[in-house]
Amino acid sequence: MGCCQSKGTKTTAWCKELTVLASGTPFTVSEVEALHELFKKLSSSVIGDGFISKEDLQFALFRNNNKKNLFANRMFDLFDVKCNGVIEFGEFVQSLGVFHPNAPVEEKIYCKLKEMVVALLQESDLELSDDVVQAIVDKTFSDADSKGDGKIDPEEWKEFVSKNPSIIKNMTLPYLKDVTMAFPSFVLISEVGESEM
């Protein structure tokens, strides 16, 4: 039974929140409901306070919450939009939206390049100095700055990414296209129709 089937005041407010989240992301209302079920499972995996902590995310990604992991830390920082040490449900949905196959390329472009480079290099066990990592980032920005003005506007970055599509390949998680199919155990029946958004 979907969380929007009851007509209580709390449920109406919850349905409105789901609709707002869906309207601001590539997700449907049903997918946002499914993501809420996933969020509840993730947020209770270690601490259980209704928020996703670094430990919860680390455990969800690697089934280990003791070992420090730069990738998990970077992902946590990316999702913790409010920088308050926890990932709230709205942050979770909005941050995942960037990885949705239907997310606009422009949204993917704004993802932090340096953080992704550092995380990927360290996860690949490449021991590169900060200077080398900075050189990689600088070279990328230099190549992308087609106007030579020391800035990369969205059009320049879009042109650069179109010439180098592998840059945002890992910014797309195909199974998010239909989260209800990817996570069938989270499928809910909702009275909030997609057309009501």
Side-chain angles (χ1 to χ4, degrees), residues 45-110:
S45 61
V46 176
I47 296 180
D49 60 357
F51 302 105
I52 297 176
S53 66
K54 276 191 182 185
E55 294 81 6
D56 290 324
L57 184 63
Q58 172 98 11
F59 186 77
L61 292 173
F62 304 108
R63 292 292 175 216
N64 177 345
N65 62 341
N66 297 322
K67 184 181 169 191
K68 294 287 181 198
N69 183 289
L70 183 62
F71 177 74
N73 287 341
R74 297 289 185 191
M75 288 303 293
F76 183 86
D77 292 342
L78 180 67
F79 279 56
D80 182 17
V81 177
K82 294 180 181 176
C83 299
N84 60 356
V86 295
I87 300 169
E88 299 170 12
F89 179 61
E91 293 172 306
F92 179 71
V93 173
Q94 291 171 343
S95 296
L96 271 178
V98 173
F99 296 94
H100 193 285
N102 293 342
V105 172
E106 292 80 9
E107 284 186 34
K108 295 176 186 280
I109 288 170
Y110 288 108

Side-chain angles (χ1 to χ4, degrees), residues 141-142 144-154 156-157:
F141 275 88
S142 172
D145 182 16
S146 61
K147 295 177 185 172
D149 60 2
K151 301 175 188 173
I152 299 172
D153 63 39
E156 288 175 309
W157 186 246

Side-chain angles (χ1 to χ4, degrees), residues 13 28 32 41 47 49-50 94-95 106 113-114 117 121 133 140-141 150 152 161-162 164 166 170 181 195:
T28 65
V32 173
K41 286 185 184 268
I47 296 180
D49 60 357
Q94 291 171 343
S95 296
E106 292 80 9
L113 176 63
K114 185 172 182 176
V117 169
L121 290 173
V133 171
T140 302
F141 275 88
I152 299 172
V161 169
S162 70
N164 302 280
S166 62
N170 62 352
M181 296 297 286
S195 61

